[in-house]
Amino acid sequence: MNAPYEIDYETIFRFAPVGMCISVNRVIQSSNDALTQMFGYPQGTLDGQSFCVLYPTMDEFLRTGHRIIPIMNARGRYSDERIMRRASGELFWCHVTGRALNCADPLGPGVWTFEDVSEKRPVSAELTPREREIAAFLVEGKTSKMIARETDLSPRTVEMHRAKLMRKFGAATSSELVHKLVGSTR
């Protein structure tokens, strides 16, 4: 049985309903329409740009890169939810998934998808870069000890950041904080 049309992978990539890009060493080689629209850039202007333009700060870009490498080495893929930055400067929660084309080169050629999850999880408080990092780990269900190991902070320092987040979000308990971070109502 013949298909009524030939599959054109370039068109599928360009018009996919999620943000997608091909990258090499954390530099965007090709991005689709959904990605540029999500981040508020004109079509094609992200091509050739470092992923750092999508992060709130250079420090967050660097720390995320260091965190990704061992996970990509072990699994060949990576996924998390983190706060990203649009061209306008607006911060938003984004689900990011990536896969290395060569497991031996985790940050080499890869395919990445980005999904804007800000409708269900708005960024409602002014957070420091470290608080954004801690918040992302809390959303993943990580304990203070686990977060401390992954960030090279002491558990006490992580608890201090958690306490600041609880004050900023008006949360009485850690559980309530996580619910507020993920945007769910009780």
mmCIF file of all heavy atoms in Angstrom, residues 65-112:
data_model
loop_
_atom_site.group_PDB
_atom_site.id
_atom_site.type_symbol
_atom_site.label_atom_id
_atom_site.label_comp_id
_atom_site.label_asym_id
_atom_site.label_seq_id
_atom_site.Cartn_x
_atom_site.Cartn_y
_atom_site.Cartn_z
ATOM 1 N N GLY A 65 25.101 22.096 32.891
ATOM 2 C CA GLY A 65 25.997 21.316 32.037
ATOM 3 C C GLY A 65 26.788 20.288 32.830
ATOM 4 O O GLY A 65 26.905 19.128 32.422
ATOM 5 N N HIS A 66 27.299 20.707 33.987
ATOM 6 C CA HIS A 66 28.057 19.777 34.835
ATOM 7 C C HIS A 66 27.169 18.662 35.370
ATOM 8 O O HIS A 66 27.611 17.519 35.500
ATOM 9 C CB HIS A 66 28.729 20.519 35.985
ATOM 10 C CG HIS A 66 29.847 21.415 35.549
ATOM 11 N ND1 HIS A 66 30.969 20.957 34.906
ATOM 12 C CD2 HIS A 66 30.002 22.756 35.644
ATOM 13 C CE1 HIS A 66 31.772 21.965 34.623
ATOM 14 N NE2 HIS A 66 31.201 23.078 35.046
ATOM 15 N N ARG A 67 25.917 18.988 35.678
ATOM 16 C CA ARG A 67 24.982 17.989 36.197
ATOM 17 C C ARG A 67 24.568 16.999 35.108
ATOM 18 O O ARG A 67 24.355 15.818 35.366
ATOM 19 C CB ARG A 67 23.754 18.707 36.778
ATOM 20 C CG ARG A 67 22.792 17.780 37.480
ATOM 21 C CD ARG A 67 21.690 18.506 38.231
ATOM 22 N NE ARG A 67 20.845 19.314 37.408
ATOM 23 C CZ ARG A 67 20.720 20.634 37.499
ATOM 24 N NH1 ARG A 67 21.399 21.320 38.390
ATOM 25 N NH2 ARG A 67 19.900 21.293 36.711
ATOM 26 N N ILE A 68 24.450 17.465 33.872
ATOM 27 C CA ILE A 68 23.996 16.624 32.769
ATOM 28 C C ILE A 68 25.014 15.550 32.394
ATOM 29 O O ILE A 68 24.642 14.420 32.089
ATOM 30 C CB ILE A 68 23.682 17.507 31.530
ATOM 31 C CG1 ILE A 68 22.406 18.298 31.760
ATOM 32 C CG2 ILE A 68 23.576 16.681 30.266
ATOM 33 C CD1 ILE A 68 22.135 19.340 30.684
ATOM 34 N N ILE A 69 26.305 15.890 32.411
ATOM 35 C CA ILE A 69 27.337 14.987 31.897
ATOM 36 C C ILE A 69 27.294 13.589 32.508
ATOM 37 O O ILE A 69 27.217 12.609 31.765
ATOM 38 C CB ILE A 69 28.739 15.631 32.018
ATOM 39 C CG1 ILE A 69 28.836 16.806 31.040
ATOM 40 C CG2 ILE A 69 29.845 14.614 31.726
ATOM 41 C CD1 ILE A 69 30.079 17.655 31.207
ATOM 42 N N PRO A 70 27.312 13.413 33.848
ATOM 43 C CA PRO A 70 27.306 12.041 34.372
ATOM 44 C C PRO A 70 26.018 11.280 34.056
ATOM 45 O O PRO A 70 26.045 10.063 33.829
ATOM 46 C CB PRO A 70 27.496 12.207 35.880
ATOM 47 C CG PRO A 70 27.322 13.648 36.175
ATOM 48 C CD PRO A 70 27.464 14.409 34.898
ATOM 49 N N ILE A 71 24.904 11.988 33.995
ATOM 50 C CA ILE A 71 23.633 11.324 33.680
ATOM 51 C C ILE A 71 23.615 10.893 32.217
ATOM 52 O O ILE A 71 23.213 9.777 31.894
ATOM 53 C CB ILE A 71 22.438 12.244 34.024
ATOM 54 C CG1 ILE A 71 22.406 12.480 35.539
ATOM 55 C CG2 ILE A 71 21.121 11.645 33.526
ATOM 56 C CD1 ILE A 71 21.470 13.571 35.985
ATOM 57 N N MET A 72 24.067 11.768 31.332
ATOM 58 C CA MET A 72 24.148 11.409 29.907
ATOM 59 C C MET A 72 25.135 10.264 29.695
ATOM 60 O O MET A 72 24.899 9.383 28.874
ATOM 61 C CB MET A 72 24.558 12.621 29.067
ATOM 62 C CG MET A 72 23.519 13.724 29.007
ATOM 63 S SD MET A 72 22.123 13.336 27.958
ATOM 64 C CE MET A 72 22.774 13.793 26.369
ATOM 65 N N ASN A 73 26.261 10.266 30.441
ATOM 66 C CA ASN A 73 27.228 9.177 30.322
ATOM 67 C C ASN A 73 26.607 7.846 30.722
ATOM 68 O O ASN A 73 26.870 6.821 30.093
ATOM 69 C CB ASN A 73 28.466 9.439 31.187
ATOM 70 C CG ASN A 73 29.454 10.366 30.515
ATOM 71 O OD1 ASN A 73 29.546 10.418 29.299
ATOM 72 N ND2 ASN A 73 30.192 11.103 31.315
ATOM 73 N N ALA A 74 25.789 7.858 31.752
ATOM 74 C CA ALA A 74 25.184 6.625 32.253
ATOM 75 C C ALA A 74 24.012 6.156 31.401
ATOM 76 O O ALA A 74 23.843 4.961 31.176
ATOM 77 C CB ALA A 74 24.725 6.819 33.701
ATOM 78 N N ARG A 75 23.186 7.084 30.925
ATOM 79 C CA ARG A 75 21.939 6.721 30.244
ATOM 80 C C ARG A 75 21.873 7.086 28.772
ATOM 81 O O ARG A 75 21.002 6.599 28.055
ATOM 82 C CB ARG A 75 20.755 7.395 30.933
ATOM 83 C CG ARG A 75 20.577 7.030 32.376
ATOM 84 C CD ARG A 75 19.332 7.709 32.901
ATOM 85 N NE ARG A 75 19.317 7.666 34.353
ATOM 86 C CZ ARG A 75 18.696 8.526 35.111
ATOM 87 N NH1 ARG A 75 18.020 9.519 34.558
ATOM 88 N NH2 ARG A 75 18.727 8.419 36.407
ATOM 89 N N GLY A 76 22.680 8.041 28.349
ATOM 90 C CA GLY A 76 22.603 8.515 26.974
ATOM 91 C C GLY A 76 21.481 9.506 26.749
ATOM 92 O O GLY A 76 21.278 9.999 25.648
ATOM 93 N N ARG A 77 20.734 9.829 27.801
ATOM 94 C CA ARG A 77 19.626 10.789 27.708
ATOM 95 C C ARG A 77 19.527 11.547 29.023
ATOM 96 O O ARG A 77 20.081 11.134 30.040
ATOM 97 C CB ARG A 77 18.316 10.094 27.381
ATOM 98 C CG ARG A 77 17.917 9.071 28.389
ATOM 99 C CD ARG A 77 16.640 8.320 28.007
ATOM 100 N NE ARG A 77 16.473 7.157 28.853
ATOM 101 C CZ ARG A 77 16.086 7.189 30.111
ATOM 102 N NH1 ARG A 77 15.801 8.332 30.692
ATOM 103 N NH2 ARG A 77 15.971 6.074 30.811
ATOM 104 N N TYR A 78 18.789 12.643 28.996
ATOM 105 C CA TYR A 78 18.633 13.477 30.185
ATOM 106 C C TYR A 78 17.261 14.121 30.139
ATOM 107 O O TYR A 78 16.764 14.461 29.063
ATOM 108 C CB TYR A 78 19.708 14.573 30.220
ATOM 109 C CG TYR A 78 19.612 15.437 31.445
ATOM 110 C CD1 TYR A 78 20.181 15.040 32.641
ATOM 111 C CD2 TYR A 78 18.929 16.649 31.412
ATOM 112 C CE1 TYR A 78 20.080 15.820 33.778
ATOM 113 C CE2 TYR A 78 18.823 17.440 32.539
ATOM 114 C CZ TYR A 78 19.404 17.021 33.718
ATOM 115 O OH TYR A 78 19.293 17.795 34.846
ATOM 116 N N SER A 79 16.656 14.309 31.315
ATOM 117 C CA SER A 79 15.351 14.957 31.388
ATOM 118 C C SER A 79 15.219 15.650 32.735
ATOM 119 O O SER A 79 15.610 15.091 33.763
ATOM 120 C CB SER A 79 14.249 13.910 31.213
ATOM 121 O OG SER A 79 12.986 14.514 31.287
ATOM 122 N N ASP A 80 14.678 16.857 32.723
ATOM 123 C CA ASP A 80 14.363 17.549 33.970
ATOM 124 C C ASP A 80 13.373 18.667 33.691
ATOM 125 O O ASP A 80 13.000 18.913 32.545
ATOM 126 C CB ASP A 80 15.616 18.082 34.666
ATOM 127 C CG ASP A 80 16.240 19.312 34.001
ATOM 128 O OD1 ASP A 80 15.641 19.913 33.081
ATOM 129 O OD2 ASP A 80 17.356 19.686 34.397
ATOM 130 N N GLU A 81 12.934 19.324 34.751
ATOM 131 C CA GLU A 81 12.144 20.542 34.636
ATOM 132 C C GLU A 81 12.941 21.630 35.314
ATOM 133 O O GLU A 81 13.457 21.441 36.415
ATOM 134 C CB GLU A 81 10.760 20.364 35.254
ATOM 135 C CG GLU A 81 9.924 19.433 34.420
ATOM 136 C CD GLU A 81 8.451 19.430 34.751
ATOM 137 O OE1 GLU A 81 8.016 20.151 35.668
ATOM 138 O OE2 GLU A 81 7.734 18.678 34.076
ATOM 139 N N ARG A 82 13.069 22.762 34.629
ATOM 140 C CA ARG A 82 13.886 23.847 35.152
ATOM 141 C C ARG A 82 13.298 25.178 34.706
ATOM 142 O O ARG A 82 12.496 25.234 33.787
ATOM 143 C CB ARG A 82 15.319 23.713 34.677
ATOM 144 C CG ARG A 82 15.465 23.896 33.177
ATOM 145 C CD ARG A 82 16.901 23.783 32.758
ATOM 146 N NE ARG A 82 17.257 22.398 32.589
ATOM 147 C CZ ARG A 82 17.850 21.921 31.512
ATOM 148 N NH1 ARG A 82 18.166 22.717 30.526
ATOM 149 N NH2 ARG A 82 18.135 20.663 31.393
ATOM 150 N N ILE A 83 13.753 26.221 35.346
ATOM 151 C CA ILE A 83 13.336 27.568 34.963
ATOM 152 C C ILE A 83 14.264 28.053 33.859
ATOM 153 O O ILE A 83 15.485 27.997 33.984
ATOM 154 C CB ILE A 83 13.340 28.512 36.178
ATOM 155 C CG1 ILE A 83 12.271 28.053 37.184
ATOM 156 C CG2 ILE A 83 13.100 29.954 35.740
ATOM 157 C CD1 ILE A 83 12.241 28.832 38.483
ATOM 158 N N MET A 84 13.664 28.507 32.764
ATOM 159 C CA MET A 84 14.409 29.010 31.607
ATOM 160 C C MET A 84 14.023 30.477 31.388
ATOM 161 O O MET A 84 13.126 30.988 32.053
ATOM 162 C CB MET A 84 14.074 28.183 30.365
ATOM 163 C CG MET A 84 14.347 26.687 30.498
ATOM 164 S SD MET A 84 16.073 26.226 30.655
ATOM 165 C CE MET A 84 16.645 26.462 28.984
ATOM 166 N N ARG A 85 14.684 31.120 30.428
ATOM 167 C CA ARG A 85 14.457 32.552 30.180
ATOM 168 C C ARG A 85 14.104 32.799 28.719
ATOM 169 O O ARG A 85 14.794 32.363 27.812
ATOM 170 C CB ARG A 85 15.715 33.344 30.537
ATOM 171 C CG ARG A 85 15.577 34.843 30.323
ATOM 172 C CD ARG A 85 16.798 35.609 30.799
ATOM 173 N NE ARG A 85 18.052 35.077 30.299
ATOM 174 C CZ ARG A 85 18.641 35.474 29.167
ATOM 175 N NH1 ARG A 85 18.098 36.396 28.418
ATOM 176 N NH2 ARG A 85 19.782 34.941 28.792
ATOM 177 N N ARG A 86 13.010 33.524 28.518
ATOM 178 C CA ARG A 86 12.609 33.927 27.171
ATOM 179 C C ARG A 86 13.455 35.136 26.722
ATOM 180 O O ARG A 86 14.085 35.788 27.542
ATOM 181 C CB ARG A 86 11.136 34.300 27.141
ATOM 182 C CG ARG A 86 10.192 33.174 27.547
ATOM 183 C CD ARG A 86 8.745 33.588 27.342
ATOM 184 N NE ARG A 86 7.819 32.866 28.180
ATOM 185 C CZ ARG A 86 7.359 31.643 27.939
ATOM 186 N NH1 ARG A 86 7.768 30.990 26.880
ATOM 187 N NH2 ARG A 86 6.506 31.066 28.757
ATOM 188 N N ALA A 87 13.416 35.446 25.451
ATOM 189 C CA ALA A 87 14.145 36.602 24.906
ATOM 190 C C ALA A 87 13.751 37.886 25.632
ATOM 191 O O ALA A 87 14.570 38.781 25.817
ATOM 192 C CB ALA A 87 13.879 36.736 23.409
ATOM 193 N N SER A 88 12.506 37.974 26.078
ATOM 194 C CA SER A 88 12.011 39.159 26.784
ATOM 195 C C SER A 88 12.542 39.273 28.207
ATOM 196 O O SER A 88 12.347 40.296 28.862
ATOM 197 C CB SER A 88 10.479 39.115 26.846
ATOM 198 O OG SER A 88 10.069 38.017 27.678
ATOM 199 N N GLY A 89 13.188 38.216 28.700
ATOM 200 C CA GLY A 89 13.663 38.183 30.081
ATOM 201 C C GLY A 89 12.716 37.464 31.013
ATOM 202 O O GLY A 89 13.059 37.185 32.164
ATOM 203 N N GLU A 90 11.501 37.171 30.538
ATOM 204 C CA GLU A 90 10.521 36.453 31.366
ATOM 205 C C GLU A 90 11.050 35.057 31.691
ATOM 206 O O GLU A 90 11.571 34.357 30.826
ATOM 207 C CB GLU A 90 9.192 36.324 30.614
ATOM 208 C CG GLU A 90 8.164 35.491 31.351
ATOM 209 C CD GLU A 90 6.968 35.115 30.474
ATOM 210 O OE1 GLU A 90 6.941 35.485 29.285
ATOM 211 O OE2 GLU A 90 6.078 34.428 31.006
ATOM 212 N N LEU A 91 10.904 34.654 32.969
ATOM 213 C CA LEU A 91 11.307 33.323 33.392
ATOM 214 C C LEU A 91 10.097 32.400 33.347
ATOM 215 O O LEU A 91 8.969 32.822 33.628
ATOM 216 C CB LEU A 91 11.878 33.369 34.810
ATOM 217 C CG LEU A 91 13.093 34.281 35.005
ATOM 218 C CD1 LEU A 91 13.559 34.243 36.453
ATOM 219 C CD2 LEU A 91 14.217 33.903 34.064
ATOM 220 N N PHE A 92 10.331 31.131 32.975
ATOM 221 C CA PHE A 92 9.232 30.167 32.913
ATOM 222 C C PHE A 92 9.764 28.765 33.151
ATOM 223 O O PHE A 92 10.931 28.475 32.905
ATOM 224 C CB PHE A 92 8.495 30.251 31.568
ATOM 225 C CG PHE A 92 9.281 29.734 30.389
ATOM 226 C CD1 PHE A 92 8.969 28.500 29.827
ATOM 227 C CD2 PHE A 92 10.319 30.469 29.836
ATOM 228 C CE1 PHE A 92 9.684 28.017 28.730
ATOM 229 C CE2 PHE A 92 11.026 30.000 28.742
ATOM 230 C CZ PHE A 92 10.712 28.766 28.189
ATOM 231 N N TRP A 93 8.861 27.886 33.646
ATOM 232 C CA TRP A 93 9.217 26.489 33.859
ATOM 233 C C TRP A 93 9.159 25.762 32.523
ATOM 234 O O TRP A 93 8.225 25.945 31.742
ATOM 235 C CB TRP A 93 8.254 25.815 34.837
ATOM 236 C CG TRP A 93 8.573 26.098 36.266
ATOM 237 C CD1 TRP A 93 8.022 27.066 37.055
ATOM 238 C CD2 TRP A 93 9.517 25.408 37.095
ATOM 239 N NE1 TRP A 93 8.561 27.016 38.310
ATOM 240 C CE2 TRP A 93 9.474 25.999 38.366
ATOM 241 C CE3 TRP A 93 10.385 24.336 36.872
ATOM 242 C CZ2 TRP A 93 10.270 25.561 39.421
ATOM 243 C CZ3 TRP A 93 11.176 23.896 37.930
ATOM 244 C CH2 TRP A 93 11.117 24.513 39.173
ATOM 245 N N CYS A 94 10.167 24.919 32.297
ATOM 246 C CA CYS A 94 10.285 24.210 31.030
ATOM 247 C C CYS A 94 10.717 22.767 31.297
ATOM 248 O O CYS A 94 11.620 22.518 32.103
ATOM 249 C CB CYS A 94 11.331 24.923 30.171
ATOM 250 S SG CYS A 94 11.423 24.358 28.472
ATOM 251 N N HIS A 95 10.047 21.822 30.655
ATOM 252 C CA HIS A 95 10.465 20.417 30.705
ATOM 253 C C HIS A 95 11.437 20.207 29.548
ATOM 254 O O HIS A 95 11.095 20.462 28.391
ATOM 255 C CB HIS A 95 9.263 19.485 30.572
ATOM 256 C CG HIS A 95 9.649 18.053 30.631
ATOM 257 N ND1 HIS A 95 9.852 17.392 31.811
ATOM 258 C CD2 HIS A 95 9.921 17.162 29.654
ATOM 259 C CE1 HIS A 95 10.222 16.145 31.555
ATOM 260 N NE2 HIS A 95 10.274 15.984 30.251
ATOM 261 N N VAL A 96 12.650 19.767 29.883
ATOM 262 C CA VAL A 96 13.708 19.605 28.887
ATOM 263 C C VAL A 96 14.132 18.139 28.839
ATOM 264 O O VAL A 96 14.354 17.524 29.878
ATOM 265 C CB VAL A 96 14.933 20.481 29.243
ATOM 266 C CG1 VAL A 96 16.036 20.327 28.210
ATOM 267 C CG2 VAL A 96 14.523 21.936 29.390
ATOM 268 N N THR A 97 14.217 17.597 27.628
ATOM 269 C CA THR A 97 14.670 16.220 27.433
ATOM 270 C C THR A 97 15.685 16.209 26.298
ATOM 271 O O THR A 97 15.478 16.852 25.273
ATOM 272 C CB THR A 97 13.490 15.294 27.059
ATOM 273 O OG1 THR A 97 12.486 15.390 28.064
ATOM 274 C CG2 THR A 97 13.938 13.845 26.937
ATOM 275 N N GLY A 98 16.773 15.488 26.510
ATOM 276 C CA GLY A 98 17.791 15.406 25.475
ATOM 277 C C GLY A 98 18.351 14.008 25.350
ATOM 278 O O GLY A 98 18.305 13.221 26.290
ATOM 279 N N ARG A 99 18.872 13.735 24.164
ATOM 280 C CA ARG A 99 19.478 12.439 23.896
ATOM 281 C C ARG A 99 20.726 12.649 23.053
ATOM 282 O O ARG A 99 20.685 13.331 22.023
ATOM 283 C CB ARG A 99 18.505 11.542 23.140
ATOM 284 C CG ARG A 99 19.115 10.198 22.829
ATOM 285 C CD ARG A 99 18.076 9.231 22.319
ATOM 286 N NE ARG A 99 18.706 7.943 22.142
ATOM 287 C CZ ARG A 99 18.700 7.273 21.010
ATOM 288 N NH1 ARG A 99 18.057 7.738 19.972
ATOM 289 N NH2 ARG A 99 19.301 6.106 20.937
ATOM 290 N N ALA A 100 21.822 12.060 23.522
ATOM 291 C CA ALA A 100 23.070 12.122 22.770
ATOM 292 C C ALA A 100 22.988 11.153 21.597
ATOM 293 O O ALA A 100 22.446 10.056 21.727
ATOM 294 C CB ALA A 100 24.238 11.746 23.667
ATOM 295 N N LEU A 101 23.493 11.563 20.443
ATOM 296 C CA LEU A 101 23.538 10.655 19.302
ATOM 297 C C LEU A 101 24.658 9.633 19.467
ATOM 298 O O LEU A 101 24.618 8.555 18.874
ATOM 299 C CB LEU A 101 23.712 11.434 18.002
ATOM 300 C CG LEU A 101 22.594 12.430 17.673
ATOM 301 C CD1 LEU A 101 22.855 13.105 16.336
ATOM 302 C CD2 LEU A 101 21.236 11.750 17.671
ATOM 303 N N ASN A 102 25.657 9.973 20.291
ATOM 304 C CA ASN A 102 26.768 9.079 20.590
ATOM 305 C C ASN A 102 26.945 9.082 22.105
ATOM 306 O O ASN A 102 27.365 10.095 22.674
ATOM 307 C CB ASN A 102 28.036 9.571 19.881
ATOM 308 C CG ASN A 102 29.267 8.759 20.229
ATOM 309 O OD1 ASN A 102 29.223 7.834 21.024
ATOM 310 N ND2 ASN A 102 30.385 9.131 19.634
ATOM 311 N N CYS A 103 26.644 7.971 22.760
ATOM 312 C CA CYS A 103 26.724 7.905 24.224
ATOM 313 C C CYS A 103 28.114 8.234 24.755
ATOM 314 O O CYS A 103 28.254 8.669 25.897
ATOM 315 C CB CYS A 103 26.281 6.533 24.719
ATOM 316 S SG CYS A 103 24.521 6.245 24.482
ATOM 317 N N ALA A 104 29.153 8.027 23.959
ATOM 318 C CA ALA A 104 30.515 8.326 24.393
ATOM 319 C C ALA A 104 30.805 9.827 24.394
ATOM 320 O O ALA A 104 31.824 10.264 24.919
ATOM 321 C CB ALA A 104 31.516 7.602 23.493
ATOM 322 N N ASP A 105 29.913 10.624 23.828
ATOM 323 C CA ASP A 105 30.098 12.071 23.727
ATOM 324 C C ASP A 105 28.800 12.743 24.182
ATOM 325 O O ASP A 105 28.012 13.223 23.361
ATOM 326 C CB ASP A 105 30.446 12.447 22.284
ATOM 327 C CG ASP A 105 30.874 13.895 22.114
ATOM 328 O OD1 ASP A 105 31.059 14.595 23.136
ATOM 329 O OD2 ASP A 105 31.030 14.316 20.954
ATOM 330 N N PRO A 106 28.553 12.786 25.524
ATOM 331 C CA PRO A 106 27.239 13.211 26.031
ATOM 332 C C PRO A 106 26.806 14.620 25.644
ATOM 333 O O PRO A 106 25.624 14.872 25.496
ATOM 334 C CB PRO A 106 27.366 13.081 27.546
ATOM 335 C CG PRO A 106 28.823 13.058 27.825
ATOM 336 C CD PRO A 106 29.479 12.476 26.603
ATOM 337 N N LEU A 107 27.736 15.541 25.478
ATOM 338 C CA LEU A 107 27.350 16.900 25.099
ATOM 339 C C LEU A 107 27.654 17.179 23.631
ATOM 340 O O LEU A 107 27.491 18.301 23.157
ATOM 341 C CB LEU A 107 28.036 17.936 25.995
ATOM 342 C CG LEU A 107 27.634 17.886 27.469
ATOM 343 C CD1 LEU A 107 28.345 18.976 28.250
ATOM 344 C CD2 LEU A 107 26.137 17.978 27.658
ATOM 345 N N GLY A 108 28.059 16.150 22.898
ATOM 346 C CA GLY A 108 28.300 16.280 21.467
ATOM 347 C C GLY A 108 26.968 16.357 20.732
ATOM 348 O O GLY A 108 25.985 16.891 21.263
ATOM 349 N N PRO A 109 26.893 15.822 19.536
ATOM 350 C CA PRO A 109 25.636 15.885 18.781
ATOM 351 C C PRO A 109 24.471 15.266 19.565
ATOM 352 O O PRO A 109 24.612 14.183 20.141
ATOM 353 C CB PRO A 109 25.940 15.064 17.522
ATOM 354 C CG PRO A 109 27.434 15.084 17.395
ATOM 355 C CD PRO A 109 27.955 15.140 18.802
ATOM 356 N N GLY A 110 23.347 15.985 19.583
ATOM 357 C CA GLY A 110 22.188 15.498 20.324
ATOM 358 C C GLY A 110 20.896 16.130 19.844
ATOM 359 O O GLY A 110 20.907 17.127 19.123
ATOM 360 N N VAL A 111 19.808 15.525 20.270
ATOM 361 C CA VAL A 111 18.466 16.019 19.964
ATOM 362 C C VAL A 111 17.828 16.408 21.296
ATOM 363 O O VAL A 111 17.840 15.629 22.254
ATOM 364 C CB VAL A 111 17.615 14.924 19.278
ATOM 365 C CG1 VAL A 111 16.200 15.431 19.021
ATOM 366 C CG2 VAL A 111 18.273 14.452 17.993
ATOM 367 N N TRP A 112 17.269 17.605 21.351
ATOM 368 C CA TRP A 112 16.668 18.136 22.577
ATOM 369 C C TRP A 112 15.243 18.605 22.306
ATOM 370 O O TRP A 112 14.964 19.176 21.262
ATOM 371 C CB TRP A 112 17.503 19.304 23.110
ATOM 372 C CG TRP A 112 18.832 18.847 23.597
ATOM 373 C CD1 TRP A 112 19.975 18.682 22.852
ATOM 374 C CD2 TRP A 112 19.147 18.434 24.914
ATOM 375 N NE1 TRP A 112 20.977 18.208 23.652
ATOM 376 C CE2 TRP A 112 20.502 18.040 24.921
ATOM 377 C CE3 TRP A 112 18.422 18.353 26.104
ATOM 378 C CZ2 TRP A 112 21.145 17.581 26.064
ATOM 379 C CZ3 TRP A 112 19.071 17.908 27.250
ATOM 380 C CH2 TRP A 112 20.411 17.526 27.229
#
